[in-house]
Every structure is written in C-alpha cells, then in structure tokens.
Amino acid sequence: MATSLKNLSAYDPASVPDCSEFKFGIVVSEWNESITSALAQGCVDTLVKHGAKIENIRLHTVPGSFELPLGGQFLLDSSDTDAVILIGCVIQGETRHFDFICQAVAQGCMELGMKYNKPSVFGLLTTNNLQQAIDRSGGIHGNKGDEAALTAIKMVHLKRKLK
Ligand code: DLZ
C-alpha cells in the first residue's frame, strides 16, 4: 500500500488488463465515512478507467469494518461476482479495539478469497491518526481505493488466464 516513501497509486495504465467483462463487488464500511467514501470513489473510478461497466459494479455498505468480510460473503453468495473489494478505515484509538478489528478483517478477507476461490481484496486503511488516513485516501500518498481496484483487476485476469 501507499507508504510515506512510495505512492503506489502511481502506475503505468498500459500494464493493467482490460476488465470490461469482469464483475466486481465493493463493500464499504460506514465508520470514518469521509475517508471510506473517498476510497470507494477512487476504487470505482479506477475500475471504470480500465473498462468496467458501471452495471457490473455492485457497491454496498456495512456498519463497520468488522462487518466487511461477511458483507463480502453475502455478495459472493448472491451473485456471479468475480472479485470483492473490502473498503474500510480503522484509526488507532486508546483501546485495543483497533488490533481486534484489523486482525479480524485481515483474516476474514483472506478466508473469503480461499473459500470462494475468488479475489477478496484488503482495502482497509489501518492508521495511527486521521491525517495518515487522509493522506492515503486521495492525498499525498495516493488512494488505497485505486490500489485495491488494480489488485482486483489483476487477480481476476490471472485466474482467467490460468483456466
Ligand atoms: C467499534 C469501532 C471502533 C472503536 N472503531 C472503528 C474504526 O475505527 N473503524 C471501523 O470501521 N469500525 C470501527 N468500529 C466498529 C466495528 O468495526 C464494528 O462495526 C462494531 O464493533 C460492531 O460489530
């Protein structure tokens, strides 16, 4: 993901496969909405930039990041979605809540991909403070939503190529 040393949102568009035949599900957490809506917008814009049809992008919200893996499972269960992208933002607080949520989403996201044999992309910002989240949701370090979209496209392409 974008770090203070590298903006991974900067890339060569020609290196990204066309995704006009792919179907995507995006699940977005309502917590830290100003951040997650910017991430989701970046994600949708990047999918469309590389050919995705808007009718092939299903976007739903869940109350918080902890609910992202189950939201992704609902989407994969109910449609012919090729990949799901889980988008959230967890900001470090004074309690250990942060650790439990981040660990659960990471684990749930990975298990979801394995269970359905489909890309399940970890689009969760886990930051120490709000400024770090702003910097990574369309700020000086790019937009992790863009990066999540690129990961989904590349992984669906890889799966189809290997079939
Ligand atoms: C409870 C909670 C807290 C403290 N912080 C965040 C956060 O920074 N980002 C986020 O997406 N969600 C947070 N939540 C909500 C949990 O993800 C979850 O929705 C609730 O614990 C209910 O399961």
Side-chain angles (χ1 to χ4, degrees), residues 29 31-32 63-67 88-91 97 101 124:
S29 165
W31 261 75
N32 300 311
S65 292
F66 190 81
E67 286 71 40
C89 172
V90 193
I91 299 175
H97 220 103
I101 296 174
L124 185 73

Side-chain angles (χ1 to χ4, degrees), residues 49-123:
K49 178 176 168 184
H50 293 287
K53 302 181 183 92
I54 207 77
E55 63 269 26
N56 287 338
I57 303 173
R58 299 177 75 199
L59 188 152
H60 292 279
T61 59
V62 291
S65 292
F66 190 81
E67 286 71 40
L68 287 170
L70 186 58
Q73 180 162 302
F74 291 161
L75 262 174
L76 288 172
D77 252 353
S78 70
S79 68
D80 53 357
T81 302
D82 291 302
V84 287
I85 301 161
L86 310 184
I87 288 180
C89 172
V90 193
I91 299 175
Q92 179 96 60
E94 290 178 356
T95 71
R96 294 190 59 212
H97 220 103
F98 176 88
D99 304 312
F100 291 120
I101 296 174
C102 296
Q103 173 60 32
V105 179
Q107 181 82 21
C109 182
M110 188 268 292
E111 287 176 359
L112 192 61
M114 296 301 185
K115 177 177 173 182
Y116 287 86
N117 198 31
K118 290 182 176 181
S120 171
V121 181
F122 187 69

